[in-house]
Amino acid sequence: MPFEGIRQNKSLQALLGLVFGTVFGFLLQKGGVTLYDVIIGQLLLTDFTVVKVMLSAILVGMVGVHAMKAAGLVRLHVRAGSVGSTVIGGLIFGVGFAVLGYCPGTAAGALGSGALDAAVGMAGIVIGAGIFARLYPVLERSVLNRGKFPAETIPQLLGVSPMPVACAVAIMILVILALFATMGL
């Protein structure tokens, strides 16, 4: 693997995480999705900036990951999901989003641009992560593994290669973005 040295160097991984996280936050801020009014507008279905940025990021990330995988630059490690872990994760995310008005990424970006309300949210994220880590062994035994999904990925579920699924998702995203553009959203 070309990046084997990076995988074994924890300090370099931390540095790369900091650099890419900073760039990610900067791009979120420049895209306008760290603004409380934009996020509330998305929830009220009056401002679709967040959806457009997220769909664009999914498209670029999906193409990038599949291109790197095809070139042998990365290996993907997928963990099987379950209904239990999806419900717990959705509840934690949803309650945090409803109370704070930010998701974790936009909260970090908003904090970086000086939003004090995001500081409270980031403290809550850290505390909540600590509580979840403490409860994880109990949750894993009782809830998180209930209702295991029949496959780890959609291509595995459909019994096809990942590339047709990625192409279909890319086409769907492009159609949705084009619809937003033609509708002036």
Side-chain angles (χ1 to χ4, degrees):
M1 287 273 23
F3 298 116
E4 199 64 38
I6 293 172
R7 290 184 46 183
Q8 295 174 1
N9 186 334
K10 300 295 181 191
S11 296
L12 183 56
Q13 285 181 4
L15 177 64
L16 287 172
L18 178 63
V19 168
F20 284 108
T22 301
V23 170
F24 178 69
F26 175 79
L27 293 174
L28 284 177
Q29 197 272 335
K30 283 298 178 190
V33 297
T34 61
L35 300 172
Y36 181 80
D37 291 338
V38 171
I39 295 169
I40 293 302
Q42 180 61 62
L43 295 173
L44 295 172
L45 302 177
T46 59
D47 184 339
F48 289 86
T49 302
V50 176
V51 170
K52 291 186 283 189
V53 168
M54 293 301 291
L55 287 175
S56 299
I58 290 167
L59 181 61
V60 170
M62 180 179 64
V63 170
V65 165
H66 281 286
M68 288 188 299
K69 185 175 184 264
L73 298 174
V74 297
R75 286 180 293 196
L76 302 180
H77 303 280
V78 181
R79 184 171 184 249
S82 70
V83 174
S85 60
T86 301
V87 168
I88 293 291
L91 286 172
I92 291 170
F93 182 89
V95 168
F97 201 154
V99 169
L100 183 60
Y102 294 111
C103 70
T106 58
L111 177 63
S113 62
L116 292 178
D117 58 335
V120 174
M122 292 303 294
I125 288 170
V126 170
I127 292 167
I131 292 169
F132 181 80
R134 194 58 113 164
L135 295 176
Y136 184 81
V138 173
L139 291 171
E140 184 179 35
R141 285 190 304 273
S142 61
V143 178
L144 296 180
N145 289 317
R146 295 203 187 254
K148 284 279 191 187
F149 294 146
E152 292 180 348
T153 67
I154 292 172
Q156 287 175 352
L157 182 65
L158 299 175
V160 298
S161 161
M163 204 49 71
V165 175
C167 288
V169 171
I171 290 168
M172 283 186 339
I173 290 172
L174 290 171
V175 166
I176 291 169
L177 290 171
L179 284 172
F180 281 153
T182 59
M183 295 168 55
L185 298 174

